[in-house]
């Protein structure tokens, strides 16, 4: 539909109508976004920051969101290198898949949403000032704040992985392998949700500061892998093995953890960040040749969990997590470049620095970029 012909299909006050008219008048003729222009696991080489026309027509049952905050994820690199599951389209295509913002335009047929309403979205395009998407993928929010980003891919992955790969049982031991910088920083939530389920939680991290942070989350046995050997700790302190391993690192860490799996144990693989960056080395696992026999002898299992296969459950999971967060049962750690040498991530251009920061391992929470100031209209 054309912007000039936009019709508001819900009852609103005169003051709200004035606000909407101001927002519509403020819509730009062009906007900026980061686009994948060629496939590469070097994010800077794969993408371009482009200026494109603002959509004069949007599809029926679609909306346009003004992005205010965008989440940074290890899988941004997977998107840019064309790893299957994110998009089947050849370049060019959008990148970034966690956004918080406000609805800027409504397409024909959109119900129960309104212009100016705070929403979250998990579709490709968050690394841009605006994005168009099907209205059914918008998740209504009470307000616009970056903490909700952490409840999306990061927390949803932990929440749904535990749900879909078999619910946790009180008394089980759970090892979270990459709390310090794991895929989408989901580790902080994997720890907390396991504790809420009554489990004994082991967390692997890289500094004494992160050890203390893990303790605040309720982690029973933090392991600073730069001071302690993970293999030795598991062998000496968990002689019967670990019941559930929430694995996001890959490589040698996968091998070590798999060997420490208990009888009837379970590995939930949600990523392999050690292999995502452009300078990652190929890992030849000694575990793989004997994997079937080991699974058989331990009656164990390995589950792969890819969040984007469960889009139909996003809202259900988000509502569950928002309730836990709102009641104070779920702690959210955010990082807008706290320890970054380039400073805070306050512009769309800083997405590149934020991704470098993620791989540096210096972050202390969910990394996010502030795309623009919240609307004062």
């Amino acid at each position: 539909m054309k912007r000039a012909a936009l019709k508001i299909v819900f009852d609103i006050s005169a003051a709200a109508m004035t606000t909407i008219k101001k927002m519509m008048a403020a819509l730009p003729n062009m906007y900026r976004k980061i686009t994948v222009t060629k496939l590469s696991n070097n994010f800077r080489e794969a993408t371009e920051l482009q200026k494109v026309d603002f959509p004069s027509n949007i599809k029926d049952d679609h909306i346009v969101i003004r992005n205010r905050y965008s989440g940074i994820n290890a899988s941004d690199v997977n998107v840019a290198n064309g790893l299957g599951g994110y998009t089947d389209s050849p370049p060019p295509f959008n990148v970034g898949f966690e956004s918080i913002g406000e609805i800027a335009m409504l397409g024909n047929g959109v119900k129960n949403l309104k212009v100016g309403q705070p929403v979250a979205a998990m579709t490709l395009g968050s690394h841009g000032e605006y994005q168009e998407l099907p209205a059914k993928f918008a998740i209504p929010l009470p307000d616009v704040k970056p903490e909700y980003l952490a409840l999306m891919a990061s927390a949803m992955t932990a929440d749904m992985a535990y749900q879909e790969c078999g619910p946790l049982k009180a008394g089980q031991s759970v090892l979270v392998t990459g709390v310090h910088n794991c895929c989408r920083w989901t580790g902080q939530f994997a720890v907390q949700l396991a504790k809420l389920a009554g489990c004994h939680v082991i967390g692997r991290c890289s500094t004494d500061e992160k050890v203390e942070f893990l303790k605040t989350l309720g982690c029973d046995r933090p392991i600073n892998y730069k001071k302690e050997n993970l293999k030795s700790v598991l062998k000496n302190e968990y002689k019967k093995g670990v019941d559930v391993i929430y694995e996001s690192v890959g490589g040698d860490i996968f091998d070590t953890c798999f060997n420490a799996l208990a009888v009837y144990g379970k590995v939930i693989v949600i990523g392999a960040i050690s292999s995502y960056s452009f300078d990652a080395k190929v890992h030849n696992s000694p575990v793989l040749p004997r994997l079937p026999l080991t699974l058989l002898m331990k009656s164990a299992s390995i589950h792969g969990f890819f969040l984007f296969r469960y889009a139909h459950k996003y809202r259900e999971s988000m509502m569950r997590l928002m309730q836990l967060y709102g009641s104070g049962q779920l702690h959210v750690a955010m990082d807008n470049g706290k320890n970054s040498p380039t400073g805070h991530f306050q512009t769309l251009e800083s997405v590149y620095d934020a991704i470098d920061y993620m791989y540096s391992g210096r972050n202390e929470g969910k990394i996010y970029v502030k795309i623009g100031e919240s609307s004062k209209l």
Side-chain angles (χ1 to χ4, degrees), residues 250-313:
D252 294 334
I253 298 303
F254 174 86
D255 294 348
T256 296
C257 295
F258 181 78
N259 287 328
L261 195 61
V263 173
Y264 308 122
K266 179 192 309 175
V267 180
I268 302 174
V269 178
I270 61 94
I273 194 172
S274 64
S275 65
Y276 291 172
S277 64
F278 70 95
D279 58 350
K281 297 180 180 178
V282 175
H283 170 73
N284 294 314
S285 171
V287 162
L288 295 180
R290 55 187 174 80
L291 184 62
L293 182 59
T294 303
L295 291 173
L296 173 65
M297 298 306 295
K298 289 189 175 184
S299 292
S301 60
I302 294 182
H303 299 258
F305 180 82
F306 185 50
L307 182 64
F308 290 88
R309 302 297 185 197
Y310 296 86
H312 60 291
K313 295 190 175 183

Side-chain angles (χ1 to χ4, degrees), residues 13-141:
S13 66
M17 176 63 83
T18 300
T19 297
I20 290 170
K21 287 181 177 179
K22 287 181 179 180
M23 290 188 67
M24 295 297 295
L27 293 177
N29 293 320
M30 302 188 78
Y31 72 99
R32 299 182 307 152
K33 67 175 183 175
I34 295 176
T35 302
V36 175
T37 56
K38 67 176 183 179
L39 300 182
S40 171
N41 57 354
N42 184 325
F43 188 82
R44 290 181 183 270
E45 292 181 358
T47 61
E48 292 180 7
L49 179 58
Q50 299 178 337
K51 198 170 186 179
V52 298
D53 291 332
F54 191 91
S56 58
N57 295 280
I58 61 174
K59 297 177 182 178
D60 291 351
D61 299 317
H62 278 221
I63 62 174
V64 173
I65 297 177
R66 166 60 165 113
N67 292 330
R68 300 297 182 180
Y69 301 101
S70 182
I72 300 298
N73 297 285
S75 291
D76 286 336
V77 176
N78 287 340
V79 173
N81 69 22
L83 185 70
Y86 295 97
T87 179
D88 295 325
S89 301
F93 53 80
N94 295 331
V95 69
F97 52 83
E98 292 173 321
S99 61
I100 301 292
E102 305 124 339
I103 296 176
M105 292 180 69
L106 296 172
N108 287 322
V110 176
K111 299 178 181 179
N112 302 320
L113 294 173
K114 60 184 179 180
V115 171
Q117 181 176 355
V119 290
M122 286 183 61
T123 60
L124 291 179
S126 73
H127 294 340
E129 293 170 337
Y130 292 85
Q131 66 179 126
E132 180 181 342
L133 65 147
K136 66 181 181 180
F137 293 143
I139 302 173
L141 297 175

Side-chain angles (χ1 to χ4, degrees), residues 163-369:
Q163 296 282 337
E164 299 297 324
C165 299
L168 298 176
K169 299 177 182 178
Q172 286 183 317
S173 55
V174 178
L175 167 61
V176 180
T177 63
V179 178
H180 69 294
N181 65 349
C182 71
C183 300
R184 297 180 292 272
W185 236 76
T186 180
Q188 62 170 308
F189 299 105
V191 168
Q192 293 179 82
L193 293 173
K195 284 302 297 180
L196 288 173
C199 298
H200 172 93
V201 182
I202 311 153
R204 174 181 171 273
C205 64
S206 60
T207 68
D208 288 339
E209 290 76 17
K210 290 169 185 175
V211 164
E212 294 305 313
F213 172 67
L214 279 176
K215 291 178 180 178
T216 69
L217 301 182
C219 183
D220 299 285
R221 181 55 168 99
I223 301 172
N224 179 349
Y225 66 80
K226 294 192 175 176
K227 290 187 174 181
E228 294 185 275
N229 181 274
L230 176 64
K231 182 178 181 179
S232 297
V233 171
L234 296 177
K235 180 179 179 181
N236 295 329
E237 299 182 26
Y238 299 90
K239 299 184 184 301
K240 293 184 178 181
V242 178
D243 297 311
V244 179
I245 297 170
Y246 189 84
E247 219 299 88
S248 62
V249 181
D252 294 334
I253 298 303
F254 174 86
D255 294 348
T256 296
C257 295
F258 181 78
N259 287 328
L261 195 61
V263 173
Y264 308 122
K266 179 192 309 175
V267 180
I268 302 174
V269 178
I270 61 94
I273 194 172
S274 64
S275 65
Y276 291 172
S277 64
F278 70 95
D279 58 350
K281 297 180 180 178
V282 175
H283 170 73
N284 294 314
S285 171
V287 162
L288 295 180
R290 55 187 174 80
L291 184 62
L293 182 59
T294 303
L295 291 173
L296 173 65
M297 298 306 295
K298 289 189 175 184
S299 292
S301 60
I302 294 182
H303 299 258
F305 180 82
F306 185 50
L307 182 64
F308 290 88
R309 302 297 185 197
Y310 296 86
H312 60 291
K313 295 190 175 183
Y314 284 174
R315 285 198 182 192
E316 175 187 342
S317 179
M318 188 68 168
M319 293 304 105
R320 186 162 55 239
L321 292 164
M322 287 178 66
Q323 184 175 11
L324 290 172
Y325 173 63
S327 64
Q329 296 181 77
L330 205 60
H331 174 77
V332 174
M334 303 297 294
D335 192 331
N336 185 233
K338 177 181 177 181
N339 302 313
S340 171
T342 60
H344 292 292
F345 309 130
Q346 303 284 9
T347 65
L348 187 59
E349 291 90 340
S350 62
V351 165
Y352 293 96
D353 292 331
I355 288 177
D356 290 342
Y357 180 58
M358 173 183 63
Y359 278 105
S360 75
R362 293 192 294 267
N363 61 299
E364 297 180 14
K366 170 68 181 179
I367 305 172
Y368 71 96
V369 172

